[in-house]
Amino acid sequence: MSDVYQNYVAGKWIDSTSGKTFVNVNPADAGDLIGHFQDSSREDAEAAIVAARDAAAGWRALSAPGRGRLLAAAARIIERDMDRIAGGLTREEGKTLAEAKAETARAVQIFDYFAGEGRRLSGETTPSEFERTLLYTVREPLGVVGLITPWNFPVAIPAWKLAPALVSGNTVVLKPASAAPLTALNIVRALEEAGLPGGALNFVTGAGTVVGQELAANAAVAGVSFTGSDAVGAGIYACVSGRGGKAQCEMGGKNPIIVLEDADLAKAVDLSINGAMWSTGQKCTATSRAIVHEDVAGDYTARLLERVAAIKVGNGMDPETQVGPLIDEAQLNKVLAYIAAGRDEGAKLAAGGGRMTAAPLDRGFFVEPTVFVDVKSEMLIAREEIFGPVLAVIAVRGFEEAIQVANSVRFGLSASICTRDISRAMEFADRIQAGLVHVNSPTVGAEVQVPFGGMKASSTGTREQGRVAVDFYTQIKTVYLEY
Ligand code: UN1
């Protein structure tokens, strides 16, 4: 029997009342069973919400710098346990160990950054119309918040929701994705070891339709922050805002890289490979459209295909591996269905396109790094988020058409341009419909100290990360004090 992992509620590790568990397997080798996790019931989620509510006054009463110190202590524990946490992440999620370590290091930065926010949670004072009146604002926590996190960044995304939520004085119920719950559990353990009081953070694993649904529907949960698919996010947003709660949803992307005729093509190819292929394309910020000026499209594509052919796909634990598996069979089938749709619509498959079945890859969910050329912007593969290592190359006649194609999708998360022309780079920054804009830099990546989020169907609610992250987790009180 492999390990059984429990929920964490009111400072205790406990089993679900359902008596049921689900299994977590290694996507690089489906025979490698990582453990059993609690298949929690609605009652478990309710109990966690009650525990968070009971702990709210005590946690809020602690000073903000004091809450920050606990986050800093957790950062040191995560740093100490980096190899174990990153190893578990690769085993359950599939990304390479180098990527898992970089992501864990990012979580350390996030906890350190928001530890400092404990000393900066400021309001403002302004002159009043009235004499002898002090007019000022303070930030207060919302109360209980629900955090629903995805499997593709199983340490960074829980960290970037937990840290601002906790430092702002909220108590939390965290529901991690069922495909990668071990890494989130390791973060909960780090916060427990750091000395977080019982009930301030509760951890409940299980189905989104049960645990996630309860967090969205329960009136005691003042705010819900979600990262995941846009279909689920839209439902959560409607449910939470419909009952007067606060909702923040980070959803899909269909992120373009525009390559102009004056671009450094070696660099453009480098950025395209990074954005489209690393982490197996399983990032909401992944590059999935290369919108290339027709004068350089041939040269760009030739260089791109040469690089794609050399990509080493395999188990993320192997130091040679550059691209790991997709997360599970459902994701594999979804990616293969998009590839089939691309062929049906007449795009030309220039690289990859199939499942990888040579042993030992047949034990996991591996797909070939895939490139389509001659893609038209109306095609499904140019419009919908695929969430796999698939890049669609679209040739355009010039800058105007590039902007028009880039903005023609319903998503607006991240966008990049490769050019040496500062005027066109600036015009791109002005006109692109995206929350994250990159010039000669990949669509992926997110520094902790600046806001992260998208426009259009990519995001709803205020931004994550940076100082503005606390805007979601706090409410402002304005005080008029006459003396
Ligand atoms: C990154 O590009 O490093 O789920 C961060 C996602 C995003 C995070 C991307 N919320 O892929």
Side-chain angles (χ1 to χ4, degrees):
M1 180 80 180
S2 65
D3 292 336
V4 178
Y5 295 94
Q6 294 176 298
N7 288 337
Y8 183 65
V9 177
K12 292 194 177 64
W13 292 96
I14 56 171
D15 286 339
S16 164
T17 55
S18 72
K20 288 188 281 191
T21 59
F22 64 89
V23 293
N24 179 16
V25 300
N26 181 345
D29 176 1
D32 174 24
L33 182 61
I34 294 164
H36 297 261
F37 288 79
Q38 302 301 312
D39 189 5
S40 303
S41 61
R42 207 174 62 80
E43 290 70 35
D44 297 324
E46 260 182 326
I49 293 165
V50 169
R53 201 191 54 201
D54 291 349
W59 180 241
R60 180 180 161 169
L62 204 68
S63 73
R67 294 193 298 261
R69 273 193 291 280
L70 283 167
L71 297 187
R76 302 287 75 73
I77 293 163
I78 296 167
E79 222 162 29
R80 182 197 70 198
D81 294 347
M82 172 83 70
D83 289 347
R84 183 175 59 80
I85 294 172
L89 197 169
T90 291
R91 191 173 163 214
E92 72 175 352
E93 200 273 346
K95 67 176 68 174
T96 67
L97 190 58
E99 289 172 324
K101 283 186 180 164
E103 193 194 328
T104 311
R106 193 198 289 197
V108 171
Q109 289 176 5
I110 291 166
F111 278 108
D112 278 332
Y113 178 81
F114 285 103
E117 206 54 40
R119 296 190 185 277
R120 289 187 297 259
L121 271 180
S122 50
E124 55 183 352
T125 60
T126 63
S128 166
E129 285 277 358
F130 305 102
E131 287 172 16
R132 300 176 64 82
T133 297
L134 175 62
L135 185 52
Y136 69 96
T137 66
V138 287
R139 286 184 183 274
E140 289 193 351
L142 303 181
V144 177
V145 296
L147 308 180
I148 303 173
T149 57
W151 46 261
N152 65 331
F153 281 91
V155 61
I157 293 181
W160 89 36
K161 294 185 194 297
L162 281 170
L166 289 169
V167 82
S168 303
N170 300 282
T171 54
V172 172
V173 180
L174 169 65
K175 188 222 122 24
S178 297
L182 177 64
T183 307
L185 180 138
N186 282 328
I187 297 307
V188 173
R189 282 181 173 164
L191 282 157
E192 180 191 26
E193 187 185 336
L196 203 75
L201 166 59
N202 305 276
F203 171 80
V204 183
T205 56
T209 50
V210 179
V211 180
Q213 176 55 34
E214 181 61 22
L215 291 174
N218 193 309
V221 180
V224 175
S225 180
F226 164 86
T227 298
S229 72
D230 63 322
V232 175
I236 288 176
Y237 191 82
C239 179
V240 177
S241 55
R243 64 170 171 78
K246 232 174 151 178
Q248 176 184 58
C249 298
E250 285 298 338
M251 300 168 285
K254 190 68 191 171
N255 312 297
I257 186 166
I258 293 178
V259 181
L260 294 185
E261 71 278 23
D262 70 335
D264 173 343
L265 284 188
K267 172 121 195 198
V269 167
D270 222 47
L271 300 178
S272 304
I273 296 278
N274 176 349
M277 302 299 169
W278 299 164
S279 297
T280 325
Q282 298 180 119
K283 297 181 184 176
C284 57
T285 49
T287 307
S288 57
R289 296 179 293 157
I291 302 172
V292 187
H293 193 288
E294 61 185 4
D295 289 355
V296 294
D299 197 359
Y300 167 87
T301 304
R303 292 173 189 237
L304 180 78
L305 294 176
E306 198 182 315
R307 286 283 303 278
V308 168
I311 290 176
K312 180 97 177 53
V313 179
N315 188 316
M317 283 296 184
D318 178 345
E320 302 267 279
T321 294
Q322 294 175 297
V323 167
L326 292 163
I327 188 69
D328 58 22
E329 192 163 4
Q331 192 59 30
L332 175 72
N333 289 334
K334 188 178 144 202
V335 170
L336 292 174
Y338 274 117
I339 292 170
R343 298 171 108 149
D344 290 349
E345 285 187 297
K348 185 168 159 244
L349 185 64
R355 182 176 186 174
M356 299 178 79
T357 50
L361 301 191
D362 56 337
R363 297 153 70 103
F365 310 111
F366 292 92
V367 68
E368 293 170 305
T370 298
V371 176
F372 278 105
V373 296
D374 296 343
V375 177
K376 301 281 165 271
S377 64
E378 315 76 57
M379 293 176 179
L380 204 64
I381 53 167
R383 312 202 70 74
E384 291 303 319
E385 182 174 53
I386 298 173
F387 231 63
V390 181
L391 182 63
V393 181
I394 306 169
V396 289
R397 283 182 297 271
F399 179 75
E400 273 308 314
E401 191 185 343
I403 295 278
Q404 199 198 321
V405 168
N407 284 339
S408 69
V409 296
R410 67 197 169 94
F411 296 110
L413 184 56
S414 183
S416 171
I417 192 166
C418 296
T419 180
R420 294 179 167 104
D421 179 341
I422 188 74
S423 297
R424 287 194 298 181
M426 291 305 297
E427 191 174 339
F428 167 76
D430 278 348
R431 291 172 59 193
I432 193 71
Q433 295 162 356
L436 305 162
V437 179
H438 292 269
V439 177
N440 299 319
S441 140
T443 60
V444 295
E447 293 200 38
V448 41
Q449 68 277 18
V450 285
F452 177 93
M455 296 178 176
K456 303 199 280 189
S458 290
S459 306
T460 54
T462 54
R463 293 283 184 260
E464 304 200 78
Q465 303 221 92
R467 291 208 64 192
V468 298
V470 299
D471 289 349
F472 179 73
Y473 294 102
T474 57
Q475 48 196 336
I476 289 175
K477 185 178 269 176
T478 305
V479 182
Y480 294 76
L481 190 158
E482 194 181 309
Y483 50 91

